[in-house]
Amino acid sequence: MFLVCGEALWDLFANEDGPALTFDARVGGSPFNVATGLSRLGQDTAFLSGLSTDPLGTRLIAALEREQVDTGYLTLFRCPTTLSLVDLAANGSPAYTFYGTGAADRALSRENLPALDDSVWGIHFGSYSLVVEPVGSAFLTLAQREAGRRLITLDPNVRLNVESDRELWRQRIDAFARHADVVKVSEEDLELLYPGECPAGIAARWRAAGVGLVIVTCGRAGVQAFGCGVMVEVEARRVQVVDTVGAGDSFQAALIACLAECGMTTRAALDEIDSDRLANIICFAVEAAAVTCTRRGADLPHRAELAECCKENS
């Protein structure tokens, strides 16, 4: 089982019709998307988060159960559910406004951390739950506790409109990276946090701190991956973009799923990866992200869809 840690919320897509403003609500939150995406790709998955007992929270739980994600690691709070207002640019890229002060997904504390048995082979952390409190400190404690025992993945997924302090983001990401085996980060996030620095230099710094594999996604420019003695570049797949909501999460879920399918569930296996295997894994993740871009919201692909996609492009 792979354990995904982080926030769950509702993405609200606004529709204007004259004076009326209506919303198309979709389940979301980067870690929530990764968990559902992993399950859709055939991986046994659990979700660790604080969720609300309000009607929106109970619907999030129901959505996880429909996706066959294990909900046994959830902690319920009598706090509101986070809402995210999504505005789409002409090219489909989203801009988010979050309404989550005092919400349930931020309420998780160290006291709520579960004991993990040997069925959990990996843990994922990411997005604003890295920096808001008390959940940020709780998850860092979990990463410190489990480092070296399970494969740990990290996706910063920076949200400055939740926490505007860039130095706090840098400090917290570096703290998590010291315990991570895989870091996947967007070029956009790197530019926000480390303006003017080249991705290869940042990847080298994280690898020197102990990260085994650093992957930089560059949107239409493709992907760069830096491993132990290997570096590969993979082109993006051209598709008709509806929006890019959830594309990074789809990439992350597919990356973890492909590592599992290849039997690379330990750091020792990751350190032995060669360039051909790494390129194949990245290509699989690129295909998953491309499928997500062709539909509205974070609607991540099922395994059969990717098999067909790969067949069509082989």
Side-chain angles (χ1 to χ4, degrees), residues 34-52:
V34 173
T36 59
L38 268 171
S39 184
R40 289 185 180 190
L41 293 174
Q43 298 300 312
D44 290 336
T45 309
F47 189 51
L48 170 58
S49 182
L51 287 189
S52 175

Side-chain angles (χ1 to χ4, degrees), residues 268-282:
L270 194 68
D271 287 342
E272 294 296 322
I273 197 169
D274 60 32
S275 58
D276 288 341
R277 175 61 61 85
L278 180 55
N280 287 338
I281 291 171
I282 300 304

Side-chain angles (χ1 to χ4, degrees), residues 20-90:
L21 182 63
T22 60
F23 297 96
D24 177 14
R26 307 290 179 98
V27 293
S30 175
F32 181 97
N33 296 337
V34 173
T36 59
L38 268 171
S39 184
R40 289 185 180 190
L41 293 174
Q43 298 300 312
D44 290 336
T45 309
F47 189 51
L48 170 58
S49 182
L51 287 189
S52 175
T53 56
D54 70 14
L56 293 178
T58 57
R59 285 181 171 87
L60 286 170
I61 296 170
L64 289 168
E65 291 172 343
R66 284 195 302 272
E67 297 288 353
Q68 298 183 321
V69 174
D70 188 331
T71 58
Y73 293 96
L74 297 177
T75 300
L76 303 184
F77 296 98
R78 297 184 66 181
C79 303
T81 297
T82 295
L83 301 177
S84 169
L85 180 61
V86 186
D87 285 310
L88 298 175

